[in-house]
Structures are given as structure tokens and as C-alpha cells.
Amino acid sequence: PKLPALCLIIMHLHGETSPMKTTWYCPLDLSTVLEEKEDGVIYNVVVKQQHGAPTSSGSRSQCVKAGTEEKLVQHLLHSFAMGDSSFITIFLSTYRSFTSTKRVLDILIDRLQHPPGESTRSQTRQPFNRAVCMVFSMWLSEYPEDFRSLGEPGLLLRLAPLLPSDPSGTEIRGRLLRLAEELSEQALLPDSSSDRTIASPPADPTKFDPTNILGFPAGLIAEQLTKIETELFVRLVPYHCLGSLWSQRDKKGREGVCWSVRATVRQFNRLANAVMASCLWPTQLRSQQRACLLEKWISVAEECRARKNFSSLYAIVSALQSNPVHRLRRTWLETDREAVRRYEELSNIFSEKDNYSQSRELLKEEGTSKFANLDGKMTNRRQIGSSAQGTVPYLGIFLTDLTMLDTAVKDRLENGYINFDKRRREFEVLAQIRLLQSSCKNCVFLTDEAFLQWYQSVPLLNEEESYRLSNEIEVPCELSSGRTQNPTVIITRLFTADTFHYHMKSPSVSCLDVDSSPPTNDPIPSALTPSTPIKSHRRSVSCGNNPTNNNKGSEPDMRIVRIRMDLQDGNMYRSILVTSNDKTPTVISSALEKHSQDPKQASRYELIQLLPEGKELVIPATGNVFYAMTSSSVDFLLRRQGGNTPFRSLPISTETSATFPRIKAKGRRQLFPK
């Protein structure tokens, strides 16, 4: 059954996309795969024939590969009959990447005003009516917010009378009219559109006692964190993770975009802040006492792992890996060696080796299983008398995959058609999220008010405060230059006022860990050797390692970088895929096109790499960008020709990037892609 897909891959690799009809024969299952072009649409057609059966007895299915906006919308009403059974689900999950709800409804209304067949009982009209009901029933059930976002009821009132008059159509008409009534009522309420969550007042530092965390059992803490994370994950809207939407969230007027992802990121950062604050705030503690706090959080991380709560697990590990905590040498030396060993094992789960392969394997193994696949007594302890757990993933991995996919694959073909094959690939990632969400929907948790009260009392620490507290605990060693050391690990700010976050920190689509500060000379605890991911983190595959197999020497290396322009929206980054074959003019042209500028004006611009400590590196005008750039940063600036020197002091913008969280010149590191 997978041979047709294999044939399509072979077709793609051979570049067989230009002829009007391309035929490939799969002899094992006698399937023929063709590419057919019609006015405004391209189909991948699979014709299957049973061995020994006459040619006329074969089955035929048509899946849209690309098409105009109008043709893709119209295909909703014909896809099921043509054998493209997954089209409706994929379209409804991804259409916001290339069109709007209003535009889709306009096209459907126009089609319903001119239905096929001369009468409602004709052979063509009945399948058409069933398709109409199927599309709107699925749309209303899974994405009712699309209709509420219209703001006014006009389109719904135009649509309702055009629906079929059978029982299914009547039921859908009633739902649309109720939504139209809701919109009419909201229009009469002046403040009804500003449905914003009121932020809780800032915590009072005088009422915060970090050591109180020691009074809560690690299992109870993990249970409460899993409750919070599970509720957020179940409410997550998968399409909010699409790279094309996530990268636009910081644009003016789009402050409410991707709200469900923002909520998850805020919780991630809030937990990381709680871990750091509890370890740093009591500066008067002895090293042995502070070591107890580290051991407590390591135990909590273990319990989160047992509950398959990878989001909280990663937040805790990230906070312990942050430089203000990691540099506390005396504290780590006092920490139980067995606890440190377990901590290193937990850290390895999120190793960036092979594009987070270990994390992905765990999600694959445990995603829908009842319990975590653990060894020894922890497994037995957790499973005895414990209800089945859902899996809460670290969302950053999915955000990175989708942003990389959005960056690497074109939205449109050369003829201007929308590339729907790209949407199919995006849906494969969204489907993984939805599968994990289904495992969490029936989870039941009890609330512990005492812990929540402590959790909400934790004050927010910024980068400067964290380093000040850390330096009060252990005075930093001075470097040979006489300057105080800069942090090795960077925790960046999320959005505009959110707390810090970790592994997906750089504002870039796929740069999860960009270490933009010089190495520290702090001594490392004996158990924390440089080989561990404690002190600094390697760049992920998406940040510069060759994502292809090393044996494929003929394929170019590649790296995703973030480029901004000196424009009014200069704080907005655009992600560009740079290969080892790309020269400066090519990269500048791609960046101009991404910023909606004329790519023919490339000769008027220079490409500048933004380095740590506010320095700049001007890429030679005819150089190879991949080899000219340094590995210390993925941030670039596109500036009109002006005569800057190769290295010049320049404050790096701390504005949020268009893809992932922003990076500051110093501080902690962020964990979610921006």
C-alpha cells in the first residue's frame, strides 16, 4: 500500500513534474501513478489494478498536489468522491497558512449558489449535498472559533439558506444561525471583543520562602505541574503551531495570534523561573542547604518523567542547566552524587544529537502507552495504584519542525499555484500533536491549593537579578582581561513580557540553542564534565549541523539563519535556508523576497552577521555565506550599502523575532522556538 507514495517520491527526485502527464508503474501491486494537470489544479493520480483483472476494473484516486486558491476550496466538495479522503481534514487544519476563513466561505457560497445538476434529486446533486454537509459538519465541530472570528454575521446569514434541506443540512443550518446570533449580540457589546485574560498581580517577594518547596513531596509537585501542563496541552490549537502563523505572531495587530502556544510557553518559562528563583533567592543558605534544593528539583524532574510530562521535565532541567545555577560550584559539589547521575540521565533525554532523536523515540514509544517505560523500582512505584497518564510533550520540538518545514519548502510553485503537498507534510506533524492530545483528554487530577499558593508566590527574576544573586552566593572568578565573566548559557525573553525559556531560545525558527556568549572559566563539579549537556548546549541540527546523512557527500551542507532589515519593522526576522553553495547575492535576494522587497535590488545591500558582544561581521559581497559566517550566531542584518567596517560595536536588538523567542546579549536561555 506504500508503493504509490514511493513512486511519488521517485517522481519528485527525478524532477518529473513538468509534463502534462507522467506515468510510473509499480509492478508489485500493479499501480500506476500519474500527474495530471487541469485548469488551475495539479493532481497526483493513483490507478490500482488487481493482478489478472481487466483494465477497466481498476480503481482511481486523485489527490491534489497544488492549485489556485479557488480550486483548492472547491475541491473540498469533490475530494471524497475523487478518492482524496484526507483532503478535508488537512485543508481545515492548514488553510490559514494561505487564505482566510472569510475567503473560503465566499468561494463556497459562490459554489453553493451554482450547484451541479438540474434538480435537488439528480444523481450529481445528492453526492454534492452529502459533501457539503460533511465539510461544514467537520468544520463546525473541530474549528468553531473560525466562525466566531468573523466578527459579523453577514456571511453566515448568506450561507445558511444555501445548505441542503435534508436533516443533516437542517441541523448544520441551525448551528450556523446560532453562531450568527452570537456574533450579532457581540456586536452590540462595546467591550465584548476584548476578551483578554487579566494578568495576576506580581508576586510579593517579601512573602516568598523558597525553602517551603522542601515541604512538598516530589510526587505531589510533579502531579500538580502535570495537571497544569495537561490542561494547557489539551486546549492547544494544533494549527497555532504552523510555522507561517507562529512566525507572524509579533506583527502589529496580531497580538492574539497563537494564544494557545503562548500559554504553553508562559507556563514553561514560569516553571523554569520557579526552579531558578528557589535555588538562588535564599543567598544566605549554606552550600549543603542549597544542595537540598537541587536534589528536590531533580526528584521532581524524575517524577515528571514517570508521568510522561516532558514539558515540565525539560523546564526543570533547563533551569538547572542555566548559568546562574550551573556555576554554583560549591553547591553542586555538595549535591548527592547519585542525584547528579540521575540528573545527567534526564538531561540526556533532550540531547540535540540527531535532531532530538532520543526525545522523538520516547514520544514514539510512550505517546499513547498507559505508563512511562522506566527501569527498576520507579516503574513499579509509579504503576502501583496509579491511573494511566497521558503524554505531555516538549512543544518546542514540534514548533521547530514546523518552522523548518515552512522555511525550507516553498508555499507556491513556479506557476503561482499553492503547494498543497507542503500542507500535507505539515499535517503529518499536526497529527502527531493531536494523537498526543487524545491521550491526555481523560486524565483526572486533584488540586493541591498549598502548592499552587507557593507556586504563584514565586517572584519573577530577570537576567540581571539572577546573576546578581548567583554572584552573591559564589563570587565569580575574574578572567584574565579583568572583566567579570559573561554567562555561557543564554535564557532569552519570550514575547514582550513573558518570563524566560530554554532550549528553543533563539528567535529563529529552528535555532533552539544558540550560545552567543564566550565560554566561562568557572570550575566544573567533578560529576559535571564538559561532555555533559549541563554547561553549554550544542547547536541542534536545525541550527547548523548538516541535516543530511554524512554518507551522502554529494549533498550540500545547510543551515537556517535569521535575517532582519533596517526597516520600520526591522525587529522582525525572516528565516532563510543557506546551503554550502549559496553566495552572498543569492542569500540577499532570498532575504529581500522574504521581507516583501524587490530581490533585484540585492546589489544595493550588504549582509552582516550579528555577533556576540554587539559586534558585526560583514560578509564579502561575492563570498560563500555558509563558509564566511561564524558559528557563534545565526542572526544577520540586511543593510543598504554604507561602508561599515567588518567589526563594529552595535547593540543587538532584543526585540522578539518573527520565529522564536528573542535572544539578549546576556542572561539565561530560552527553551521555546520563537
Side-chain angles (χ1 to χ4, degrees):
K2 294 184 178 180
L3 280 176
L6 177 61
C7 293
L8 293 178
I9 294 172
I10 297 173
M11 253 174 54
H12 177 72
L13 293 176
H14 284 74
E16 299 289 348
T17 56
S18 55
M20 288 296 291
K21 184 175 293 188
T22 305
T23 304
W24 291 80
Y25 293 97
C26 304
L28 296 182
D29 64 355
L30 300 177
S31 295
T32 306
V33 181
L34 314 97
E35 183 180 283
E36 293 185 353
K37 294 184 179 179
E38 296 182 4
D39 183 24
V41 65
I42 301 175
Y43 294 104
N44 288 325
V45 182
V46 179
V47 179
K48 293 184 179 180
Q49 182 182 353
Q50 293 183 354
H51 182 70
T55 305
S56 58
S57 64
S59 62
R60 173 187 173 93
S61 61
Q62 291 178 279
C63 297
V64 166
K65 175 182 178 180
T68 63
E69 179 187 62
E70 183 177 7
K71 289 294 185 178
L72 290 181
V73 176
Q74 291 178 351
H75 189 62
L76 283 169
L77 305 178
H78 308 285
S79 59
F80 205 77
M82 298 172 71
D84 195 355
S85 56
S86 63
F87 180 84
I88 299 175
T89 301
I90 297 173
F91 182 94
L92 293 178
S93 297
T94 62
Y95 78 86
R96 301 154 197 85
S97 299
F98 56 86
T99 188
S100 65
T101 301
K102 182 179 183 303
R103 178 61 180 151
V104 173
L105 288 175
D106 279 333
I107 296 173
L108 289 175
I109 287 172
D110 182 69
R111 180 63 177 132
L112 291 174
Q113 288 173 337
H114 305 88
E118 298 180 357
S119 67
T120 57
R121 297 182 179 276
S122 65
Q123 291 184 346
T124 56
R125 180 71 66 84
Q126 290 183 4
F128 178 81
N129 287 346
R130 286 195 295 270
V132 170
C133 292
M134 181 188 303
V135 169
F136 282 103
S137 177
M138 187 180 300
W139 197 353
L140 284 165
S141 297
E142 297 192 16
Y143 306 101
E145 67 276 7
D146 288 0
F147 299 91
R148 295 189 176 96
S149 68
L150 294 171
E152 53 89 23
L155 275 176
L156 300 184
L157 294 176
R158 286 174 54 200
L159 172 64
L162 300 175
L163 295 172
S165 56
D166 58 20
S168 297
T170 301
E171 191 269 336
I172 295 171
R173 184 182 300 107
R175 295 168 68 180
L176 289 174
L177 291 176
R178 286 192 293 273
L179 284 170
E181 186 176 354
E182 279 184 34
L183 293 176
S184 298
E185 292 175 353
Q186 291 176 7
L188 299 176
L189 301 175
D191 297 327
S192 60
S193 60
S194 59
D195 183 18
R196 300 174 183 172
T197 302
I198 301 176
S200 56
D204 183 359
T206 62
K207 298 181 179 179
F208 174 60
D209 185 352
T211 59
N212 282 349
I213 192 67
L214 298 173
F216 298 102
L220 182 146
I221 299 172
E223 193 80 2
Q224 295 304 296
L225 294 176
T226 303
K227 175 182 185 295
I228 295 171
E229 296 279 8
T230 300
E231 291 171 352
L232 286 172
F233 184 55
V234 168
R235 291 200 299 268
L236 176 77
V237 180
Y239 71 76
H240 286 178
C241 299
L242 289 173
S244 57
L245 299 182
W246 182 238
S247 63
Q248 301 295 313
R249 69 192 178 284
D250 296 314
K251 280 191 172 181
K252 186 177 181 180
R254 298 179 67 85
E255 292 80 3
V257 171
C258 304
W259 57 265
S260 64
V261 179
R262 293 176 190 264
T264 298
V265 172
R266 280 195 294 270
Q267 163 58 19
F268 186 102
N269 295 339
R270 183 177 186 179
L271 174 55
N273 176 78
V275 175
M276 293 187 66
S278 63
C279 294
L280 297 174
W281 196 274
T283 56
Q284 74 283 0
L285 293 182
R286 296 192 303 274
S287 297
Q288 298 93 327
Q289 295 171 316
R290 196 178 314 280
C292 291
L293 290 168
L294 297 183
E295 293 168 8
K296 169 62 75 171
W297 283 115
I298 292 171
S299 297
V300 173
E302 284 186 291
E303 293 290 345
C304 287
R305 169 69 185 92
R307 289 164 172 78
K308 300 191 295 181
N309 177 2
F310 294 99
S311 184
S312 293
L313 168 59
Y314 199 16
I316 295 170
V317 168
S318 301
L320 296 177
Q321 288 174 339
S322 66
N323 204 60
V325 176
H326 170 74
R327 65 170 296 277
L328 300 177
R329 179 177 179 272
R330 291 193 297 271
T331 301
W332 282 104
L333 288 174
E334 294 291 343
T335 304
D336 179 72
R337 296 297 90 189
E338 177 61 21
V340 173
R341 185 194 64 77
R342 299 196 307 270
Y343 163 60
E344 291 173 349
E345 289 181 356
L346 294 172
S347 300
N348 288 335
I349 291 176
F350 301 101
S351 167
E352 296 159 17
K353 183 179 179 181
D354 297 329
N355 198 13
Y356 292 88
S357 60
Q358 186 168 348
S359 297
R360 296 176 189 277
E361 283 300 316
L362 280 176
L363 286 178
K364 189 182 299 183
E365 292 175 9
E366 302 180 9
T368 55
S369 64
K370 290 184 177 182
F371 300 102
N373 182 17
L374 303 175
D375 296 326
K377 60 183 179 181
M378 181 183 293
T379 306
N380 298 329
R381 185 177 74 243
R382 287 261 23 96
Q383 294 189 10
I384 295 175
S386 175
S387 59
Q389 300 284 339
T391 300
V392 181
Y394 167 53
L395 195 60
I397 293 177
F398 295 112
L399 291 174
T400 300
D401 288 349
L402 288 166
T403 310
M404 286 187 65
L405 182 57
D406 182 59
T407 302
V409 183
K410 292 184 177 180
D411 288 323
R412 293 179 180 269
L413 305 185
E414 292 183 359
N415 60 6
Y417 286 2
I418 295 168
N419 182 4
F420 199 76
D421 270 354
K422 175 178 180 177
R423 307 308 162 194
R424 294 183 188 276
R425 293 173 64 180
E426 288 177 329
F427 180 75
E428 291 177 4
V429 181
L430 299 183
Q432 296 176 45
I433 297 175
R434 296 178 68 171
L435 181 63
L436 293 174
Q437 284 180 310
S438 66
S439 73
C440 296
K441 289 185 176 178
N442 296 322
C443 296
V444 179
F445 302 93
L446 299 177
T447 301
D448 187 280
E449 296 294 344
F451 170 76
L452 292 181
Q453 186 175 0
W454 178 89
Y455 189 52
Q456 293 165 1
S457 72
V458 179
L460 174 63
L461 298 181
N462 57 33
E463 284 91 340
E464 292 76 14
E465 292 170 335
S466 298
Y467 277 99
R468 177 181 58 80
L469 293 172
S470 181
N471 291 338
E472 287 181 15
I473 296 168
E474 293 188 23
V475 178
C477 300
E478 292 188 353
L479 301 178
S480 58
S481 62
R483 293 183 297 119
T484 302
Q485 69 175 33
N486 287 327
T488 297
V489 179
I490 296 178
I491 289 188
T492 57
R493 283 281 174 185
L494 220 50
F495 311 121
T496 45
D498 288 340
T499 54
F500 52 95
H501 120 169
Y502 170 80
H503 238 105
M504 304 202 88
K505 45 179 199 182
S506 99
S508 134
V509 335
S510 38
C511 288
L512 302 203
D513 270 341
V514 178
D515 187 349
S516 63
S517 48
T520 177
N521 288 339
D522 258 352
I524 306 176
S526 57
L528 304 180
T529 63
S531 63
T532 67
I534 304 298
K535 185 166 187 176
S536 62
H537 294 266
R538 299 176 298 278
R539 191 173 284 103
S540 71
V541 169
S542 58
C543 287
N545 295 344
N546 185 1
T548 60
N549 191 307
N550 292 333
N551 296 328
K552 299 179 181 178
S554 60
E555 298 182 8
D557 290 341
M558 58 190 69
R559 188 175 186 180
I560 293 179
V561 302
R562 302 178 305 116
I563 303 179
R564 66 177 176 87
M565 292 187 66
D566 273 343
L567 299 172
Q568 290 181 350
D569 64 343
N571 62 320
M572 303 303 294
Y573 282 87
R574 296 292 180 267
S575 298
I576 304 292
L577 183 67
V578 177
T579 72
S580 56
N581 299 328
D582 289 341
K583 300 296 182 68
T584 302
T586 301
V587 175
I588 293 177
S589 296
S590 298
L592 288 171
E593 187 174 1
K594 281 271 188 172
H595 282 278
S596 302
Q597 304 295 312
D598 185 2
K600 296 179 181 179
Q601 302 296 317
S603 60
R604 298 186 178 184
Y605 290 86
E606 59 182 353
L607 184 63
I608 301 165
Q609 185 177 14
L610 303 178
L611 303 176
E613 299 183 358
K615 294 181 179 179
E616 295 180 351
L617 173 63
V618 178
I619 304 298
T622 58
N624 184 303
V625 177
F626 185 87
Y627 295 109
M629 65 188 293
T630 74
S631 60
S632 61
S633 172
V634 293
D635 293 333
F636 285 77
L637 173 68
L638 209 56
R639 179 188 291 149
R640 282 190 175 273
Q641 295 284 357
N644 295 319
T645 58
F647 283 94
R648 181 175 69 82
S649 177
L650 174 73
I652 297 179
S653 170
T654 59
E655 293 294 329
T656 305
S657 98
T659 318
F660 289 120
R662 71 179 76 156
I663 289 186
K664 289 195 174 183
K666 65 177 182 177
R668 299 165 292 224
R669 79 164 45 150
Q670 221 165 280
L671 308 185
F672 268 91
K674 233 184 151 170

